[in-house]
Amino acid sequence: MFCRYCNHLQAPTPDYYEFFALPRNLALDPDDLQKRFYAMSRQFHPDVFTLHSEQEKRYSLEASSILNDAYRVLRDPISRAEYVLKEAGFDIGEQRGKDVPPELLEEVFELNMALDELRSGDEDVLPQLDQMRHNFVEMLHQIDRDVEEQFRRHDAQATLDQRQAVLSEIRAILNRRRYIRNLVGEVDKQLTARNA
Amino acid sequence: MSTFQIDFSSAGKKRIVGIDLGTTNSLVAFMDLTGPEVIPGADGSLLLPSIASLNDDGTFTVGNDARRLLIDRPARTVYSVKRLMGRGVADVQDEVKLFPFRIAEGSESVIRLDLGGRSFTPPEISAQVLRELKQRAEAYLNEEVTQAVITVPAYFNDAQRQATKDAGRIAGLEVLRLVNEPTAASLAYGLDKRNEGVVAVYDLGGGTFDISILRLHEGIFEVLATNGDTHLGGDDIDNRLLSIALEDIATEWGEDVSHRGDAVQTVRRAVIEAKEALSTAPAAQIDVEFQGRKYQREITRELFENLIRDIVDRTLGPCRQALRDANLDPEHIDEVVLVGGSTRIPLVRSAVETLFRAKPHTELNPDEVVALGAAVQAAILSGDVQDKLLLDVTPLSLGIETMGGVVSKLIHRNSTIPASATEVFTTSVDGQQNVLIHVLQGERELVKDCRSLARFDLKGMEPMPAGMARVEVRFLIDANGILSVTARDLRSGKEQSVEVKPSYGLTDEQVEAMIMESYEMAEEDFKARQVREARVEADNILAAIEKAKANDAWLDLSDEERQGVDLALNELHVVYHGDDHNLIRDRIEKLDNATRRLAENMMNSAVRNALKGTKI
């Protein structure tokens, strides 16, 4: 069972989808994934190999760390999509989340103004900031719905090229998502700093 | 209480014990046919106070006997050493002021306690407690015990875990698993039999606080999030009461006794008694008597609760954070379990109830439940319990130092362990052959705000232009929550050697040296025991001869025979107080030979007497 991972130091990190014996789909049933995770945990976990040979203990440690890493990445839709993008050769570096998406230019400008005013001690902008934060969080929810939609579209494509095209769209959505999430994070940071 | 499916088919193999190495008390438990059981000591008590006191001959007195020595020789008697495990001197400046024992000069990354001129590290002190528990288990089970599961606070960092493992090794125990205390407690409760659900375990012990949130599903105990404070517990409450009482006493007696170890320990004992009484009574008395002087003060529960409210409130922040990390609201929690002696305090119970909106479980003794859980985990490891599996998490994020003193996170907190991360490093200078990697644990962004774990030196890289070398480093946190690092050169594919310099811990060589020392100590212990046993044997034969001399049989001996016995008696008396057990045994044997005729005579006369009274 472990032979595939015996020579782990030479082998690249195994593919997470292969590890779970799952087709390369972006939409995954979380209950099914959890079931597989629990069953494989019972199989691989170091507790099961405590009194076995040193070699078997090492394999079990290796296999269960891969299992846990794979589960952590695949169970969250966003990190799952990022993983698939990366494996498909897309660049998903943080840098891509730093350019302002054109359709958000106005909102971002207003937000930065409000944050500046807050920093200079003007508390009157608080209700406005709150409203802006709310709007951005709403956008995130909408994006998450869009992403799921795109996941299903991706999975329905017949050829690799077609899938690649959808992935490219998903990447754009994820970049937008990351940008907005950073904005919300910035607002939260300012508000906590003010409260502290 | 749950039932356990136990498979003892593999009977005859070595037994693994479960140990709760607590701040205040420690316990050892094992899996019996009916379920986990705490093993009592010779005096019948289940709790072994985690106190060790250094004797003049270099041995330690541990447990209840050591507790009595807190007052007689405070400078050599160590308590709450768990708070010093895996820590540096700078970390503990504040609380060391309250300890009567001193930190040795020259302690750096590892604290050394100066006990009357000899210095000991916290793992060595903990090893004394563990050794006592090991002996307790061996005496009770009547077999050698060499393997154990030891519990640690869930929020313990790498250094604190490593220090606990070191303590086990020094005590002669192979530590098969470190298991988190709240998780162990949930195993003992076996809540999985009744519930598929989400459980919060609130563990407030003597020195540490943990909160863990678990999902239970068909025997799988999956920790979703954990949080805590390794410096928050009953000790803080004791210290609060203690400083108030000491101030009071200074006013009343006109003398500040806070620098006197024996006085402080006397007052400490008194405030702890009052604290414990307040868990059930509406008021209690702090009652101090010290060298003829008295101090008394009544304390109501209301006053007590006002004094400690901020300490109890400090546990709530970590609880909320754990909920957030688990992505849950309080109403998602199906069950709450209370662990640790400090959860007997009514204010603590009501705070937990308010936060989680659930009545907490208290069926199992909060002092014993962690040890019982450790025994269950031991049985899982031995294969005796097969339906349960624990999936725990790492409590703190792991990262490495990058440019500008910023920490780049590689493994996030609450990741299920074992967990790993891989990172590729290169050189910044032409011909560079070493790369130093600084590993940290913590949630903050800057190196100075995180806990330094270790520096790993990648050595012997091929000299190459800057930026050309590529070394892949793999960070692996094992099921104990302990980090290991491996590296390989991506160009040659060769394994790269990694030299580890722990920031707050002992090196492997230091631990080995301590193990050797403890073997020597164990040998000395063994010798002392043999001398004691020889003396007991001598006592028996001396008493028997004393009695025989009053018997007619003594008079039946010849003068020569009587002189021979007296000579042998004298010779035994001469060596009796020496420390050579072989010599004592030799003289016992000689005396035995010299009295053979006497014994025969006595036997004969006994037989004659017996026959006289019997009608044939």
Side-chain angles (χ1 to χ4, degrees):
Chain A
M1 194 72 206
F2 298 119
C3 313
R4 283 171 61 201
Y5 310 106
C6 294
N7 52 351
H8 66 265
L9 278 170
Q10 273 69 45
T13 308
D15 183 89
Y16 291 162
Y17 278 90
E18 272 179 39
F19 198 85
F20 275 110
L22 284 168
R24 216 173 184 72
N25 286 339
L26 279 175
L28 289 183
D29 172 9
D31 291 340
D32 173 65
L33 187 67
Q34 188 186 57
K35 227 164 114 182
R36 285 167 196 262
F37 170 65
Y38 284 163
M40 289 170 81
S41 291
R42 285 195 185 276
Q43 214 177 343
F44 293 140
H45 196 276
D47 280 7
V48 187
F49 293 89
T50 311
L51 303 178
H52 290 229
S53 71
E54 284 304 314
Q55 197 182 36
E56 278 178 286
K57 276 197 254 188
R58 222 171 36 244
Y59 294 165
S60 127
L61 180 59
E62 201 60 37
S64 54
S65 78
I66 294 168
L67 171 65
N68 290 334
D69 297 346
Y71 181 55
R72 190 161 43 247
V73 166
L74 292 191
R75 83 179 148 186
D76 175 58
I78 302 300
S79 67
R80 184 194 314 147
E82 283 173 349
Y83 174 75
V84 171
L85 280 168
K86 214 167 100 193
E87 295 290 300
F90 285 91
D91 170 20
I92 53 154
E94 276 291 317
Q95 207 52 45
R96 296 209 152 255
K98 290 205 173 137
D99 308 323
V100 185
E103 73 281 10
L104 287 177
L105 269 173
E106 201 179 325
E107 274 116 320
V108 171
F109 181 73
E110 274 177 31
L111 179 72
N112 282 333
M113 293 269 289
L115 285 175
D116 274 347
E117 281 171 44
L118 182 68
R119 272 189 284 260
S120 60
D122 181 3
E123 306 228 322
D124 295 344
V125 296
L126 280 178
Q128 193 194 343
L129 260 181
D130 221 38
Q131 183 57 43
M132 288 182 187
R133 187 187 183 280
H134 178 80
N135 291 347
F136 284 125
V137 170
E138 258 319 298
M139 278 184 215
L140 283 179
H141 289 322
Q142 183 54 46
I143 287 174
D144 286 348
R145 285 189 290 271
D146 292 349
V147 166
E148 267 180 48
E149 181 67 39
Q150 294 298 328
F151 280 6
R152 280 191 292 274
R153 236 188 93 213
H154 168 272
D155 297 347
Q157 303 301 315
T159 70
L160 217 59
D161 279 352
Q162 287 167 328
R163 285 195 160 200
Q164 205 75 354
V166 182
L167 282 179
S168 177
E169 286 176 46
I170 291 175
R171 181 182 62 166
I173 300 175
L174 291 188
N175 281 340
R176 203 171 109 94
R177 185 184 187 280
R178 187 180 300 127
Y179 187 86
I180 298 171
R181 206 195 51 204
N182 287 345
L183 287 180
V184 174
E186 185 58 29
V187 176
D188 288 347
K189 217 160 92 186
Q190 290 295 327
L191 292 179
T192 356
R194 199 186 134 271
N195 289 336
Chain B
M1 194 57 211
S2 75
T3 54
F4 289 87
Q5 291 174 16
I6 307 170
D7 167 22
F8 281 113
S9 57
S10 42
K13 70 186 171 195
K14 279 211 307 200
R15 212 188 296 256
I16 309 168
V17 295
I19 292 177
D20 171 6
L21 183 61
T23 307
T24 317
N25 293 302
S26 296
L27 304 86
V28 58
F30 77 112
M31 187 58 106
D32 205 353
L33 286 162
T34 50
E37 288 277 349
V38 179
I39 296 174
D43 59 352
S45 63
L46 300 179
L47 304 182
L48 176 73
S50 306
I51 304 172
S53 183
L54 180 65
N55 300 319
D56 291 331
D57 61 358
T59 60
F60 275 87
T61 298
V62 177
N64 275 318
D65 293 339
R67 178 156 45 195
R68 285 185 267 280
L69 297 168
L70 277 173
I71 293 165
D72 296 339
R73 50 178 203 217
R76 286 176 170 213
T77 307
V78 185
Y79 64 93
S80 295
V81 73
K82 190 173 179 180
R83 297 185 79 138
L84 307 179
M85 294 281 271
R87 302 197 143 249
V89 174
D91 302 326
V92 295
Q93 281 308 339
D94 285 343
E95 67 194 296
V96 159
K97 287 182 199 132
L98 288 163
F99 282 135
F101 39 90
R102 292 282 149 254
I103 303 273
E105 298 281 329
S107 298
E108 283 163 20
S109 62
V110 177
I111 294 171
R112 284 173 196 281
L113 300 174
D114 178 358
L115 307 181
R118 289 188 61 186
S119 80
F120 295 88
T121 61
E124 286 172 286
I125 303 291
S126 291
Q128 299 299 333
V129 176
L130 289 173
R131 193 171 292 131
E132 181 72 25
L133 292 173
K134 178 179 187 280
Q135 286 166 2
R136 204 178 246 208
E138 286 173 341
Y140 188 84
L141 300 169
N142 204 13
E143 64 185 48
E144 199 190 11
V145 172
T146 58
Q147 295 179 317
V149 167
I150 301 182
T151 61
V152 290
Y155 217 56
F156 252 20
N157 66 28
D158 183 271
Q160 292 167 307
R161 286 167 195 269
Q162 192 62 58
T164 306
K165 226 178 156 189
D166 292 342
R169 275 173 72 194
I170 297 166
L173 287 169
E174 184 188 354
V175 182
L176 294 180
R177 175 77 74 251
L178 295 175
V179 55
N180 293 330
E181 286 157 11
T183 329
S186 72
L187 272 181
Y189 263 99
L191 295 160
D192 59 314
K193 290 287 171 207
R194 279 183 310 205
N195 284 294
E196 299 276 303
V198 181
V199 178
V201 184
Y202 178 102
D203 180 356
L204 188 61
T208 58
F209 169 66
D210 282 329
I211 175 77
S212 284
I213 295 173
L214 298 95
R215 179 188 292 129
L216 309 182
H217 178 80
E218 290 173 3
I220 298 245
F221 290 63
E222 184 190 9
V223 179
L224 301 176
T226 193
N227 211 294
D229 187 335
T230 55
H231 256 63
L232 176 59
D235 279 0
D236 295 287
I237 293 171
D238 300 346
N239 289 342
R240 175 76 49 90
L241 296 178
L242 178 62
S243 58
I244 291 168
L246 286 172
E247 255 174 57
D248 244 19
I249 286 172
T251 323
E252 210 164 290
W253 294 355
E255 186 198 340
D256 180 11
V257 293
S258 59
H259 56 278
R260 295 190 49 179
D262 48 357
V264 170
Q265 289 312 310
T266 308
V267 182
R268 194 167 171 271
R269 188 84 172 255
V271 299
I272 290 173
E273 274 166 22
K275 173 187 82 169
E276 289 174 357
L278 281 166
S279 285
T280 48
Q285 185 107 332
I286 299 177
D287 217 330
V288 178
E289 196 175 336
F290 180 71
Q291 294 180 347
R293 283 180 292 187
K294 282 187 176 177
Y295 165 77
Q296 283 188 325
R297 176 172 175 177
E298 196 188 63
I299 177 163
T300 62
R301 189 183 286 173
E302 196 189 347
L303 175 64
F304 175 65
E305 292 186 345
N306 284 333
L307 286 173
I308 65 164
R309 196 172 303 276
D310 63 310
I311 296 173
V312 176
D313 284 348
R314 272 170 62 198
T315 66
L316 300 180
C319 291
R320 293 194 190 98
Q321 186 61 51
L323 280 170
R324 270 197 296 278
D325 286 351
N327 222 347
L328 295 171
D329 290 321
E331 51 269 26
H332 292 126
I333 303 294
D334 299 309
E335 314 262 350
V336 181
V337 170
L338 292 183
V339 184
S342 302
T343 60
R344 289 201 176 89
I345 298 171
L347 182 68
V348 172
R349 291 198 174 182
S350 68
V352 174
E353 236 179 286
T354 311
L355 178 67
F356 291 108
R357 292 163 216 171
K359 193 126 188 102
H361 280 278
T362 52
E363 297 95 302
L364 294 180
N365 184 331
D367 290 325
E368 295 169 17
V369 60
V370 169
L372 295 174
V376 177
Q377 178 65 23
I380 292 173
L381 296 186
S382 67
D384 293 333
V385 167
Q386 299 197 336
D387 59 329
K388 294 185 204 299
L389 179 68
L390 213 60
L391 300 176
D392 222 316
V393 301
T394 180
L396 299 158
S397 298
L398 182 100
I400 49 171
E401 178 169 356
T402 59
M403 301 266 271
V406 176
V407 178
S408 161
K409 291 205 174 90
L410 298 178
I411 299 175
H412 288 267
R413 70 163 183 268
N414 295 321
S415 295
T416 305
I417 50 175
S420 67
T422 311
E423 191 82 1
V424 176
F425 291 87
T426 186
T427 50
S428 52
V429 180
D430 288 348
Q432 187 179 342
Q433 284 182 283
N434 287 17
V435 173
L436 194 66
I437 301 169
H438 186 196
V439 183
L440 300 111
Q441 233 174 358
E443 308 314 318
R444 305 279 295 276
E445 279 173 39
L446 296 181
V447 168
K448 66 178 179 63
D449 298 319
C450 286
R451 185 74 179 163
S452 174
L453 280 194
R455 286 179 167 81
F456 293 92
D457 205 353
L458 299 181
K459 287 190 153 176
M461 294 169 63
E462 290 280 327
M464 258 184 266
M468 292 297 286
R470 292 178 70 75
V471 178
E472 186 186 75
V473 179
R474 188 161 150 76
F475 302 85
L476 180 66
I477 299 179
D478 68 11
N480 302 311
I482 292 180
L483 173 73
S484 65
V485 170
T486 51
R488 69 185 176 108
D489 191 322
L490 281 180
R491 291 175 172 273
S492 66
K494 270 197 308 191
E495 190 113 2
Q496 189 92 38
S497 87
V498 181
E499 195 185 80
V500 186
K501 292 176 198 135
S503 308
Y504 297 95
L506 300 164
T507 61
D508 235 26
E509 292 76 40
Q510 285 173 312
V511 176
E512 286 298 331
M514 287 170 187
I515 293 170
M516 289 310 293
E517 206 173 304
S518 75
Y519 277 146
E520 280 161 28
M521 198 55 91
E523 227 162 76
E524 272 174 41
D525 288 351
F526 185 64
K527 254 194 186 153
R529 200 171 69 224
Q530 282 184 310
V531 172
R532 266 200 315 276
E533 282 170 6
R535 283 188 194 147
V536 169
E537 214 174 300
D539 287 339
N540 289 341
I541 190 167
L542 288 171
I545 292 171
E546 205 56 48
K547 236 167 115 186
K549 279 185 170 180
N551 193 292
D552 286 348
W554 175 249
L555 298 174
D556 288 345
L557 295 181
S558 67
D559 285 352
E560 212 173 306
E561 283 168 333
R562 280 199 294 268
Q563 275 167 16
V565 172
D566 281 335
L567 189 68
L569 266 176
N570 271 335
E571 288 196 327
L572 178 57
H573 277 299
V574 168
V575 300
Y576 181 86
H577 288 287
D579 54 9
D580 187 342
H581 66 275
N582 286 322
L583 209 56
I584 299 174
R585 285 193 192 280
D586 179 66
R587 297 298 140 85
I588 289 172
E589 205 184 316
K590 289 208 169 105
L591 180 60
D592 203 38
N593 285 334
T595 54
R596 188 154 297 153
R597 272 265 301 147
L598 175 63
E600 279 167 18
N601 282 351
M602 283 175 69
M603 188 62 79
N604 288 339
S605 71
V607 171
R608 272 198 305 273
N609 284 336
L611 289 178
K612 259 186 226 160
T614 319
K615 287 190 174 146
I616 302 171

